[in-house]
């Protein structure tokens, strides 16, 4: 290992790729064990439970955005910031289709 130069580390050893096709074809016939029906149902149930739990916890962690909150935030802005937001909104091509 010590006699390899830093430019040779990216070179495959001689004959390595000669048997690569044979090894790949031998693996193509290999069958992996199938999951039982109970395992599939358990996995699907776990995914659904995680999705529901994640959705509920996300919904509970984010504060509800009401019109009152938006109005309060807008009123706290400076006049220049308000003008910028209104101008940006009025010129936005996606919001004004």
């Amino acid at each position: 290992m010590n006699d390899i130069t830093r430019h040779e580390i990216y070179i495959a050893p001689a004959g390595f790729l000669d048997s690569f096709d044979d090894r790949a074809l031998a693996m193509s016939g290999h069958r992996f064990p199938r999951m039982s029906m109970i395992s599939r149902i358990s996995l699907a149930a776990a995914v659904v439970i995680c999705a529901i739990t994640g959705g509920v916890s996300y919904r509970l962690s984010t504060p509800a955005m009401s019109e009152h909150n938006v109005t309060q935030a807008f009123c706290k802005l400076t006049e220049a910031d308000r003008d910028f937001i209104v101008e940006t909104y009025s010129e936005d091509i996606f919001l004004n289709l």
Side-chain angles (χ1 to χ4, degrees), residues 4 10 24 26-27 31 37-38 57 59 63 68 71 85 87:
I4 297 176
Y10 301 107
M27 287 299 292
R31 293 192 54 108
M37 185 60 77
I38 294 174
S57 64
R59 190 76 173 126
H68 178 69
T71 304
I85 290 175
E87 180 182 334

Side-chain angles (χ1 to χ4, degrees), residues 30-94:
H30 179 72
R31 293 192 54 108
F32 294 100
R34 294 178 59 109
M35 290 178 69
S36 69
M37 185 60 77
I38 294 174
S39 297
R40 289 182 188 183
I41 292 171
S42 300
L43 180 62
V47 168
V48 168
I49 289 170
C50 287
I52 290 172
T53 304
V56 168
S57 64
Y58 174 76
R59 190 76 173 126
L60 292 176
S61 67
T62 56
M65 193 62 117
S66 68
E67 186 177 337
H68 178 69
N69 293 345
V70 174
T71 304
Q72 280 184 335
F74 190 76
C75 290
K76 290 180 183 179
L77 295 174
T78 64
E79 189 67 33
D81 289 340
R82 287 186 216 157
D83 292 340
F84 176 76
I85 290 175
V86 170
E87 180 182 334
T88 304
Y89 175 77
S90 64
E91 293 177 359
D92 192 294
I93 60 171
F94 295 108

Side-chain angles (χ1 to χ4, degrees), residues 8-28:
E8 292 177 341
I9 61 171
Y10 301 107
I11 299 173
F16 176 76
L17 296 176
D18 295 341
S19 63
F20 186 76
D21 292 338
D22 296 333
R23 286 183 288 164
L25 287 173
M27 287 299 292
S28 68

